[in-house]
Amino acid sequence: MLRGRPLRDRLPLPGVPAERRHRGDRLVAAVLVLLLAGVAALYAVQSPAAHTESVTAATAPVPPPPVGPVPAGFTELWRAASPDTPVPLAVGDGVVVAAGSRVSGHDARTGAERWSYSRDLPLCTTGFADGRVLALYRNDEYCSELSTLQPGSGARGPARTLDARPGTRLIGQDPVLATGQDYVETFRSDLVRTAEYGTVRALEEPGSQPRSGCTFRSFAAAEDRAAILERCPGEPSERLTVLRPSGTEGDRPAFDSSSVTGTDGAQVVAASSERVAVLLPGAPRLALYDRSGRSIGEFPVDAGATVAAPSDGVARTSADDRNRYWWTGGATVALDTRSLQPRWSLPGTLGPGTRYRDRLLVPVPGGIADVDPATGVVARTLPVDRGPVTAPVLLAAQGALLVELRGDELVVLGPAG
């Protein structure tokens, strides 16, 4: 007996000439080739790569001048519209600009474009995490198409699909938290999703989400923690939930804690590995919660003349190795990095500020305040003419240069003289 196909399948068909059989085989093969070519062409037309324009940098970036002591003044070097960078992206050795459907990397000193990346989809937001620029594009009603780019060259890295909604922000580092009004998700540095919480689009395990119909109001991210302030139907007040991405299994999220706060109108300010800081409504007070969700103290803060809740639910902050700097809407408040307790407050500011060598530079009306980061004492104010400012001024240092995001416009300043 022959092994494999039956003998009748191996013998020539009676009455069919060999030449006709071979012509039929060739015809079938040709049809298969055409079908495969058609499938390949359809994929090429519909794939993201077909609707992408990527121009990488031809040379390595020129490093910005090294940071030194705070100069006598700053002067404008260049500016660009950048409505889709919620924070200034002074990354690698350059500056990243984003608008419409296009992300581009620029020489920090001159503003000359070095690389660009665009798609036929509108940008939802951009960010920076784990050494890569994150560009999130909207596809239909979701912010679903995430591309990663090398900051120095614009070369494309891994991509993935999210279920984020319009208005999302990408915050934190490994994991990154994608925020939203009724849904959040986190993903690792390898872009693998680690947790989903809220109104999950394609729920695999019914009943895996602990609550439904909740509205998420503010967010903060830390090491393996995502703090969310939410308002849920039938509950007497806002709820503070701290998601732990590493403990999540499937659709079932893991939590450090989740409990009602007894307040309405609060906002999450910051999170650390052990604590969460929440601004309470009324007289400005900062409430601290430990890892179990227990309140461990309230601290009055001088929040300045204006206390504003950010529309995207993410507090305007910056950080160095000792402090978190939080802008309340009218003042810059320094919080201890570990305990999150307030250390000092500087009223009358326009943003949180940025570390510049051993000093803190904070935007103020008409200039930049040179501040001692340990005490909040202002040594002097360097004049900067911004004209009328109605939006926060967010600062980042790129070597000796300053990158200011003034609403939708990015302005780069260099040491005067």
Side-chain angles (χ1 to χ4, degrees):
M1 173 184 283
L2 294 173
R3 305 181 67 85
R5 291 184 298 164
L7 179 61
R8 64 178 177 273
D9 292 340
R10 295 170 173 262
L11 296 177
L13 294 175
V16 179
E19 183 180 348
R20 187 186 302 175
R21 289 199 308 273
H22 294 328
R23 277 203 307 270
D25 291 343
R26 287 195 294 271
L27 179 61
V28 170
V31 170
L32 287 175
V33 168
L34 289 173
L35 284 174
L36 290 173
V39 170
L42 182 64
Y43 173 79
V45 170
Q46 294 184 344
S47 70
H51 305 288
T52 296
E53 182 180 332
S54 177
V55 179
T56 57
T59 60
V62 177
V67 65
V70 177
F74 286 94
T75 185
E76 182 176 325
L77 300 179
W78 59 276
R79 64 174 60 200
S82 191
D84 293 313
T85 52
V87 296
L89 294 181
V91 295
D93 283 326
V95 177
V96 173
V97 169
S101 61
R102 193 169 188 271
V103 183
S104 54
H106 296 254
D107 183 278
R109 302 187 200 218
T110 67
E113 184 173 291
R114 302 189 59 257
W115 58 261
S116 66
Y117 178 83
S118 61
R119 297 187 60 176
D120 64 341
L121 300 171
L123 275 164
C124 285
T125 190
T126 56
F128 184 76
D130 305 308
R132 295 180 294 216
V133 177
L134 308 177
L136 183 60
Y137 288 86
R138 181 170 179 172
N139 193 345
D140 296 326
E141 73 268 32
Y142 288 92
C143 294
S144 58
E145 305 291 329
L146 179 66
S147 300
T148 65
L149 306 165
Q150 290 299 319
S153 66
R156 284 180 285 180
R160 62 151 299 188
T161 300
L162 274 64
D163 283 338
R165 282 45 160 179
T168 188
R169 285 281 308 275
L170 302 174
I171 61 174
Q173 299 272 339
D174 200 10
V176 174
L177 170 67
T179 69
Q181 290 189 348
D182 63 357
Y183 169 85
V184 299
E185 67 176 274
T186 61
F187 55 90
R188 301 187 313 227
S189 59
D190 58 5
L191 304 191
V192 171
R193 178 185 287 139
T194 49
E196 295 180 282
Y197 178 52
T199 305
V200 179
R201 177 163 55 157
L203 195 64
E204 296 178 1
E205 302 176 37
S208 61
Q209 295 292 321
R211 286 166 291 280
S212 63
C214 300
T215 301
F216 301 161
R217 295 182 171 178
S218 61
F219 317 86
E223 309 152 42
D224 196 29
R225 308 184 84 206
I228 304 157
L229 193 70
E230 54 185 315
R231 194 66 166 89
C232 298
E235 295 190 339
S237 67
E238 291 171 325
R239 170 182 289 272
L240 178 63
T241 295
V242 181
L243 184 67
R244 182 163 42 85
S246 66
T248 295
E249 295 182 2
D251 288 337
R252 194 172 300 278
F255 304 95
D256 277 347
S257 62
S258 184
S259 58
V260 293
T261 61
T263 63
D264 270 309
Q267 60 175 291
V268 174
V269 170
S272 70
S273 60
E274 298 295 332
R275 294 184 175 184
V276 177
V278 176
L279 177 66
L280 300 178
R285 296 157 295 143
L286 205 63
L288 300 182
Y289 296 85
D290 67 12
R291 200 171 185 107
S292 67
R294 180 175 60 92
S295 176
I296 56 176
E298 295 182 7
F299 301 86
V301 291
D302 182 359
T306 304
V307 178
S311 59
D312 58 16
V314 180
R316 305 298 188 246
T317 62
S318 62
D320 57 29
D321 56 347
R322 294 187 59 188
N323 295 328
R324 308 274 185 97
Y325 303 103
W326 160 50
W327 186 62
T328 68
T332 298
V333 179
L335 310 177
D336 182 87
T337 295
R338 290 186 173 274
S339 70
L340 300 184
Q341 290 183 214
R343 301 185 64 190
W344 52 260
S345 178
L346 179 63
T349 64
L350 300 175
T354 190
R355 194 66 178 261
Y356 192 92
R357 200 173 180 179
D358 59 347
R359 304 293 291 178
L360 179 72
L361 298 186
V362 180
V364 295
I368 296 173
D370 177 5
V371 180
D372 182 344
T375 64
V377 173
V378 177
R380 54 182 172 152
T381 298
L382 289 65
V384 174
D385 183 8
R386 302 186 185 92
V389 175
T390 58
V393 176
L394 305 180
L395 284 183
Q398 180 60 289
L401 311 181
L402 285 182
V403 183
E404 284 196 350
L405 186 62
R406 306 171 185 171
D408 288 348
E409 190 168 48
L410 187 143
V411 180
V412 177
L413 309 173

